[in-house]
């Protein structure tokens, strides 16, 4: 009875015990036991050495110690640890300075993808090469044009390398040599093409983006050598060809030998033979499943009528007879890519709709429009976006705060475009069953959503006509979105904050009382911090004041103050210049200053009320780019304290808030620019000045840069440029526009609309009592 009970209890665990025992047994049987020697020296003093094969055959005992060195020939019975004495590392007297690159890409060794070299000639540099530049220059980062001899007139905006010889093979050799010396460490792929070839730049970029950078690749249109003596194939230059960086580096050592040993009449054949003979690489048109598509253009053929599939998929088209045909090809391929983009967008939208069907919320989980960011969701009532109401002729939210104003300019064009777009989409949706005609816009609403763009809601009264000609009037509400375009990073030249700024401060008789405050702030922010800047005063006298300068100098106190600061700060010099003029225009003043400074001088034309600090000076250096951009900051102007703080105590410091002041958009006195840029624009202006000398008084520096230069004129608010309130004395001798801007600045600088309204309200209350 007990045995059966014990057997019934051990029955469930019996297989487990048997399995564990069997596993131990099999593991022991699978091990080959090898006895390891305890000592490393045999009886006769001969060293016992186990071969690698013997070591691998035996299973190491867990506690065994490998044979080691012995001392005095005696074997060590037991392993004893050896104590290594600590020796401190000697400190270097002069630690090596760590070099850090300026750019992350330089430090990490990141290279650009593709370099483009266009082979041109003296006769086609200003025709076909210009057409190539206009079709691919804005798609690719670096395009260099190689020619034997160039014309006297060099095309603008193109980097041309001249080899000084018209021999084709010599030019090809010099081109490859130039690339190896200047660009081999900056790019992964090198694309060479003739100037009579159209290149679809985006497809070339896409191709190299899928190729391995370590491959020794010579890719293009393979052709047999003339005569068939040389085995292999070269890439025909008419369709362009790709060379990998790895292949060019391998070819670098043999380039001189190729020039001396290989004879050929064609540059593409010469390069192909050099690559085959010394790198053993043939031209291919397919690699890793990627094909190099090309198309041979017929004579006088029309790209818009070409239906060949090879033409639509081509990376390059050759030959191109003239620039007009090059532009027609570019237009055609741009339309093809645009249509493919639209088709891809529609496909992605359909996929999003299909996927949203199985979502938890169904179709409501997908945002409208598909692919655009969802609407902004405010977290507080202060973040709610405001809808502006409008009709076809009026808008009910105006810049000046009026309740209603007339639609004009860009706002009028915006409303017209939105209504036309809505009607076009409605007719596209209901065509051909119904045809809709706009009768009037009943209601219109719009708001700007910073996450997605401008949103519109339109209530349209429409006339609907069916296929039988019957019509009726209906009201339809439509929603539209004008999405924000993709953000584009504009390449900018490299600038540094180490540039010295020359601050020019013009002074008239009305500015004398504010010089002390200006110098106190400037000394604290610049003199005491050793800021890399030079302050220069420009004293402006009218003819009467200039005559009395020996008896009564109106700027005598200011000059004394300058001498006092130079004595206080011995390392600082504050130069000053005196000029005589009736109409102190900016251009006349800068003509004098420009002649006394080098061409690479960075100017900042200041105002006596400007509080200059290091933060702004750094932005002046970064935003002013020689031969590229000038900077006109918009300073923050305090309101009149008698109005802004009426019946209130005045604060010790003024913050940048809307009730304390405003950014004065009517003042263009402050500017940052290089002397070379000013001189270039002034030279272009000289022809008009000869015809009309009044331009010097009617134009200021801002107007001159806008009209007579191709530079970027950067106009932006500058919070670090703060001015206290001052009533500006407007000179009626200057131009009407300049005088009007001065008057408008004085009016807007009095106070905000609410502050002025409260002041008028208090005055009316006082008069009524």
């Amino acid at each position: 009875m007990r045995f059966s009970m014990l057997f019934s209890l051990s029955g469930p665990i019996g297989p487990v015990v048997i399995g564990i025992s069997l596993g131990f047994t099999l593991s022991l049987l699978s091990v080959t036991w090898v006895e390891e020697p305890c000592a490393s020296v045999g009886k006769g003093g001969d060293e016992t050495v186990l071969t690698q094969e013997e070591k691998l055959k035996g299973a190491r005992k867990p506690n065994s110690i490998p044979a080691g060195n012995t001392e005095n020939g005696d074997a060590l019975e037991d392993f004893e640890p050896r104590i290594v004495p600590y020796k401190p590392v000697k400190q270097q007297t002069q630690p090596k300075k760590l070099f850090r690159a300026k750019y992350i890409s330089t430090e990490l060794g990141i290279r650009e993808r593709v370099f483009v070299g266009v082979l041109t000639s003296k006769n086609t540099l200003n025709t076909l090469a210009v057409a190539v530049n206009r079709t691919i220059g804005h798609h690719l980062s670096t395009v260099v044009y190689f020619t034997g001899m160039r014309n006297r007139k060099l095309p603008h905006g193109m980097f041309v390398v001249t080899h000084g010889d018209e021999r084709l093979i010599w030019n090809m050799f010099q081109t490859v040599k130039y690339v190896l010396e200047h660009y081999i460490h900056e790019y992964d792929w090198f694309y060479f093409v003739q100037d009579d070839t159209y290149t679809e730049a985006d497809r070339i970029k896409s191709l190299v983006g899928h190729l391995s950078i370590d491959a020794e690749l010579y890719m293009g249109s393979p052709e047999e050598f003339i005569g068939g003596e040389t085995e292999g194939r070269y890439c025909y230059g008419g369709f362009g060809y790709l060379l990998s960086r790895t292949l060019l580096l391998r070819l670098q050592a043999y380039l001189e030998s190729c020039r001396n040993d290989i004879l050929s009449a064609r540059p593409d054949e010469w390069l192909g033979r050099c690559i085959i003979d010394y790198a053993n690489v043939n031209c291919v048109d397919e690699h890793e499943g990627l094909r190099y598509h090309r198309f041979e253009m017929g004579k006088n053929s029309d790209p818009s009528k070409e239906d060949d599939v090879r033409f639509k998929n081509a990376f390059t088209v050759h030959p191109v007879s003239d620039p007009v045909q090059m532009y027609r090809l570019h237009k055609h391929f741009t339309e093809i890519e645009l249509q493919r983009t639209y088709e891809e967008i529609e496909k992605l939208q359909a996929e999003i709709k299909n996927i949203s069907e199985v979502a938890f919320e169904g179709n409501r989980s997908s945002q409208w429009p598909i692919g655009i960011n969802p609407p902004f969701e405010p977290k507080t009532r202060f973040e709610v976006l405001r809808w502006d109401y409008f009709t076809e002729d009026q808008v009910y939210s105006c810049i000046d705060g009026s309740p209603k104003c007339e639609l004009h300019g860009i706002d009028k064009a915006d409303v017209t475009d939105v209504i036309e777009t809505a009607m076009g989409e409605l007719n596209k949706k209901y065509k051909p069953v119904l045809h809709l005609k706009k009768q009037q816009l009943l209601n219109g609403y719009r708001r700007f959503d910073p996450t997605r763009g401008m949103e519109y809601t339109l209530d349209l009264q429409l006339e609907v006509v069916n296929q039988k000609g019957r019509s009726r009037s209906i009201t339809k509400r439509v929603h539209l979105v004008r999405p924000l375009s993709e953000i584009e990073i504009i390449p900018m030249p490299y600038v540094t904050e180490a540039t010295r700024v020359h601050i020019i401060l013009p002074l008239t008789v009305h500015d004398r009382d504010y010089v002390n405050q200006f110098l106190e702030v400037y000394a604290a922010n610049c003199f005491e911090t050793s800021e890399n800047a030079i302050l220069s005063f420009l004293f402006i006298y009218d003819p009467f004041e200039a005559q009395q300068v020996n008896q009564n100098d109106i700027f005598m106190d200011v000059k004394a103050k300058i001498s006092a600061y130079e004595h206080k700060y011995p390392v600082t010099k504050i130069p000053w210049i005196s000029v005589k003029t009736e109409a102190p225009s900016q251009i006349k003043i800068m003509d004098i200053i420009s002649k006394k400074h080098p061409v690479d001088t960075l100017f900042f034309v200041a105002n006596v009320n400007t509080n200059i600090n290091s933060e702004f000076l750094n932005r002046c250096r970064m935003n002013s780019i020689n031969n590229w951009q000038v900077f006109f900051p918009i300073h923050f102007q305090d309101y009149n304290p008698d109005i802004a703080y009426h019946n209130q105590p005045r604060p010790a410091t003024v913050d940048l808030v809307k009730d304390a002041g405003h950014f004065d958009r009517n003042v263009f006195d402050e500017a940052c620019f290089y002397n070379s840029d000013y001189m270039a624009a002034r030279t272009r202006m000289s022809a008009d000045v000869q015809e009309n000398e009044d331009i010097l008084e009617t134009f200021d520096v801002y107007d001159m840069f806008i009209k007579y230069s191709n530079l970027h004129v950067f106009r932006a608010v500058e919070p670090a440029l703060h001015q206290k309130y001052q009533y500006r004395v407007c000179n009626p001798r200057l131009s009407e526009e300049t005088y009007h801007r001065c008057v408008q600045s004085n009016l807007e600088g009095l106070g905000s609309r609410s502050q002025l309204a409260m002041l008028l309200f208090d005055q009316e209350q006082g008069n009524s009592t």
Side-chain angles (χ1 to χ4, degrees):
M1 186 71 178
R2 292 180 180 177
F3 179 78
S4 59
M5 183 179 298
L6 180 63
F7 181 77
S8 61
L9 292 174
S10 61
I13 64 173
V16 178
V17 176
I18 295 172
I20 295 174
S21 302
L22 183 61
F24 275 115
T25 304
L26 292 176
S27 64
L28 293 175
L29 291 176
S30 64
V31 175
T32 303
W33 294 94
V34 175
E35 187 68 25
E36 217 175 58
C38 294
S40 60
V41 181
K43 292 181 180 180
D46 298 330
E47 187 176 357
T48 304
V49 180
L50 292 178
T51 64
Q52 185 68 18
E53 184 179 358
E54 291 172 343
K55 291 179 182 179
L56 294 176
K57 285 182 179 179
R60 277 289 302 270
K61 295 180 181 179
N63 297 325
S64 65
I65 305 297
N69 296 329
T70 59
E71 296 180 1
N72 300 325
D74 298 332
L76 296 177
E77 295 295 335
D78 298 322
F79 175 78
E80 295 182 359
R82 183 162 55 95
I83 300 175
V84 180
Y86 171 73
K87 295 181 180 180
V89 180
K90 295 182 179 180
Q91 297 290 336
Q92 296 181 356
T93 57
Q94 294 182 353
K96 187 177 180 181
K97 186 177 180 181
L98 180 64
F99 172 76
R100 298 302 299 270
K102 292 182 179 179
Y103 302 100
I104 296 176
S105 59
T106 304
E107 189 163 345
L108 298 181
I110 300 174
R111 293 182 292 272
E112 296 286 343
R113 293 299 296 174
V114 60
F115 167 89
V116 179
V118 181
L119 307 177
T120 181
S121 64
K122 177 181 179 181
N123 297 328
T124 58
L125 178 60
N126 290 285
T127 54
L128 284 172
V130 172
V132 171
N133 185 64
R134 291 179 176 175
T135 54
I136 70 173
H138 54 287
H139 291 274
L140 300 164
S141 59
T142 303
V143 182
V144 180
Y145 297 84
F146 298 95
T147 179
M149 301 292 291
R150 70 181 184 188
N151 290 328
R152 293 180 180 178
K153 183 180 179 182
L154 191 66
H156 179 69
M158 294 170 56
F159 183 26
V160 181
V161 176
T162 306
H163 299 314
D165 199 324
E166 290 290 349
R167 290 176 295 174
L168 299 179
I169 305 301
W170 172 262
N171 286 335
M172 190 75 250
F173 164 76
Q174 290 293 340
T175 297
V176 178
K177 183 180 178 182
Y178 185 90
V179 169
L180 285 169
E181 291 175 353
H182 296 85
Y183 296 102
I184 193 63
H185 299 295
E186 299 179 15
Y187 295 89
D188 291 326
W189 294 95
F190 298 85
Y191 174 68
F192 295 96
V193 67
Q194 298 174 183
D195 60 358
D196 60 345
T197 303
Y198 173 75
T199 301
E200 219 297 334
D202 291 331
R203 295 179 184 178
I204 294 293
K205 288 197 299 184
S206 177
L207 174 65
V208 300
H210 292 82
L211 292 173
S212 174
I213 62 176
D214 295 330
E216 293 184 354
L217 187 60
Y218 179 32
M219 193 175 193
S221 176
E223 296 289 340
E224 297 284 349
F225 286 95
I226 298 175
E229 298 178 357
T230 304
E231 296 182 358
R233 292 186 171 187
Y234 74 96
C235 287
Y236 176 53
F239 294 114
Y241 44 88
L242 276 171
L243 296 173
S244 65
R245 176 176 178 270
T246 308
L247 179 60
L248 279 179
L249 285 174
R250 184 177 175 185
L251 197 67
Q252 187 173 13
Y254 308 104
L255 198 59
E256 293 288 343
S257 300
C258 292
R259 185 190 64 173
N260 299 328
D261 300 342
I262 299 176
L263 299 177
S264 180
R266 295 171 53 91
D268 47 5
E269 281 193 6
W270 174 84
L271 182 61
R273 287 185 58 186
C274 182
I275 294 174
I276 293 172
D277 291 348
Y278 292 96
N280 197 23
V281 176
N282 281 277
C283 177
V284 295
D285 61 353
E286 185 177 0
H287 180 72
E288 296 179 350
L290 300 173
R291 181 171 290 276
Y292 188 91
H293 299 282
R294 66 273 185 196
F295 184 79
E296 185 174 358
M297 196 77 174
K299 189 175 182 181
N300 298 326
S301 59
D302 188 357
S304 61
K305 298 180 181 179
E306 191 67 56
D307 296 330
D308 197 329
V309 178
R310 295 175 300 171
F311 174 71
K312 295 181 179 179
N313 297 327
F315 295 172
T316 60
V317 178
H318 175 81
V320 180
S321 57
D322 53 60
V324 175
Q325 191 177 30
M326 185 81 71
Y327 298 139
R328 293 173 66 187
L329 283 168
H330 186 63
K331 178 177 181 294
H332 181 71
F333 277 95
T334 303
E335 291 174 350
I336 292 176
E337 292 302 317
L338 186 62
Q339 184 61 32
R340 288 181 178 178
T341 303
Y342 285 146
E343 293 174 358
E344 186 177 354
I345 291 173
E346 292 179 358
K347 182 180 178 181
L348 291 174
Q349 289 177 343
E351 291 178 358
I352 293 173
K353 289 181 180 179
N354 293 335
I355 293 175
S356 63
E357 291 283 350
V358 297
F360 177 74
E361 296 181 356
N363 288 332
R364 291 186 300 173
S365 61
S366 62
Q367 300 294 336
W368 179 89
I370 295 176
I372 305 298
N373 292 331
F376 172 75
E377 296 183 1
K379 297 180 180 179
T380 64
R381 62 186 180 91
F382 301 103
E383 298 177 356
V384 176
L385 301 178
R386 184 187 68 181
W387 287 91
D388 297 331
Y389 180 79
F390 64 89
T391 62
E392 293 186 64
D393 300 320
Q394 295 176 327
V395 62
Y396 289 78
S397 58
C398 307
I399 298 178
D400 59 357
S402 302
K404 180 176 66 173
C405 54
E406 184 178 356
L407 271 176
H408 63 278
I410 192 65
D411 288 326
K412 180 71 173 179
D414 176 57
V415 172
T416 303
D417 180 59
V418 168
I419 295 175
E420 292 178 355
T421 303
M423 294 305 303
E425 292 296 325
L426 287 172
N427 280 302
K428 185 189 299 184
K429 180 178 181 179
Y430 296 107
K431 187 179 179 180
V433 179
L434 299 174
H435 178 69
L436 292 86
K437 298 180 181 179
K438 181 183 74 71
Q439 292 181 335
Q440 64 173 331
L441 173 65
L442 299 177
N443 302 296
Y445 308 90
R446 67 179 181 182
R447 72 172 183 181
F448 178 72
D449 190 332
T451 62
R452 49 198 262 132
M454 187 69 79
E455 299 180 353
Y456 304 87
T457 299
L458 306 179
D459 292 331
L460 296 169
Q461 185 174 342
L462 308 172
E463 180 185 2
V464 182
V465 182
N466 60 14
Q467 293 177 328
K468 296 181 180 180
R470 298 177 181 177
S471 63
R472 59 174 296 188
S473 180
I474 64 170
T475 301
K476 184 74 174 178
R477 169 164 285 192
V478 295
H479 301 276
L480 301 95
V481 174
R482 191 189 299 275
L484 294 171
S485 60
E486 183 179 359
I487 298 175
E488 180 182 1
I489 298 178
I490 301 176
M492 298 290 287
Y494 176 74
V495 292
T496 176
E497 294 182 354
T499 306
R500 173 173 290 180
V501 182
H502 289 254
I503 303 170
I504 308 300
L505 183 63
L507 287 181
T508 63
V509 65
H510 307 286
D511 301 326
R512 293 175 300 177
D513 298 336
Y514 307 98
V515 173
N516 290 339
Q517 180 186 353
F518 174 87
L519 286 174
E520 288 178 4
V521 175
Y522 186 85
N525 294 335
C526 298
F527 288 160
E528 296 180 3
T529 59
S530 300
E531 181 66 40
N532 190 14
I534 296 178
L535 175 63
S536 300
F537 280 81
L538 183 68
F539 300 123
I540 302 173
Y541 298 86
D542 64 21
F544 178 76
E545 295 168 347
Q547 293 177 359
Q548 304 294 326
V549 68
N550 294 328
Q551 294 81 15
N552 181 21
D553 188 356
I554 60 173
F555 295 111
M556 183 181 298
D557 295 339
V558 178
K559 295 175 182 178
K561 182 64 74 173
I562 291 175
S563 300
Y565 273 96
E566 287 180 341
H567 180 73
K568 183 178 181 180
Y569 301 96
V571 295
T572 351
K573 297 297 179 182
I574 308 177
W576 51 268
I577 305 172
S578 298
V579 297
K580 179 182 70 173
T581 177
E582 294 182 0
S585 66
Q586 269 193 323
I587 296 180
K588 286 184 177 181
I589 293 172
M590 283 309 305
D591 284 346
I592 300 172
I593 298 296
S594 177
K595 295 176 182 178
K596 298 181 179 296
H597 290 81
V599 294
D600 59 346
T601 303
L602 174 59
F603 288 128
F604 168 51
V605 183
N607 187 286
V608 71
N609 293 300
T610 305
N611 294 333
I612 300 175
N613 52 36
S614 299
E615 181 183 355
F616 167 73
L617 291 179
N618 284 333
R619 269 201 281 271
C620 179
R621 297 182 181 106
M622 301 302 290
N623 292 328
S624 304
I625 306 173
N626 192 16
N627 199 27
W628 184 269
Q629 180 173 284
V630 294
F631 179 42
F632 285 83
I634 304 175
H635 65 256
F636 186 83
Q637 176 78 47
D638 292 346
Y639 284 141
N640 188 336
D642 296 333
I643 297 177
Y645 308 104
H646 182 61
N647 296 330
Q648 297 179 9
R650 298 183 183 182
T653 58
V654 178
D655 297 328
L656 271 67
V657 293
K658 65 178 183 179
D659 291 334
H662 71 121
F663 287 99
D664 196 347
R665 301 174 183 269
N666 296 302
V667 176
F668 295 83
D669 294 344
E670 293 148 320
C672 295
F673 52 86
Y674 279 87
N675 193 16
S676 58
D677 295 334
Y678 176 84
M679 294 171 64
R682 184 67 175 85
T683 303
R684 295 181 182 179
M685 185 182 179
S686 58
D688 292 344
V689 172
Q690 293 178 358
E691 298 179 1
N692 183 14
E693 294 184 359
D694 294 339
I695 295 179
L696 295 177
E697 298 180 0
T698 57
F699 276 26
D700 53 15
V701 175
Y702 178 81
D703 297 328
M704 185 190 70
F705 278 117
I706 289 291
K707 187 174 182 180
Y708 296 101
S709 76
N710 297 323
L711 303 176
H712 298 270
V713 180
F714 184 38
R715 176 84 166 148
V717 295
E718 179 51 66
L721 210 57
H722 192 174
Q723 287 192 11
K724 292 189 175 182
Y725 173 77
Q726 176 196 5
Y727 179 80
R728 304 179 63 199
V729 179
C730 303
N731 192 340
R733 295 181 179 179
L734 298 177
S735 67
E736 182 180 353
E737 183 179 358
T738 305
Y739 180 78
H740 175 73
R741 286 203 302 251
C742 177
V743 173
Q744 190 69 20
S745 174
N746 284 333
L747 295 177
E748 294 182 0
L750 292 175
S752 64
R753 295 177 64 89
S754 59
Q755 293 168 351
L756 294 172
M758 289 300 299
L759 185 63
L760 291 174
F761 178 76
D762 292 342
Q763 289 181 353
E764 291 182 358
Q765 290 290 330
N767 294 333
S768 63
T769 57

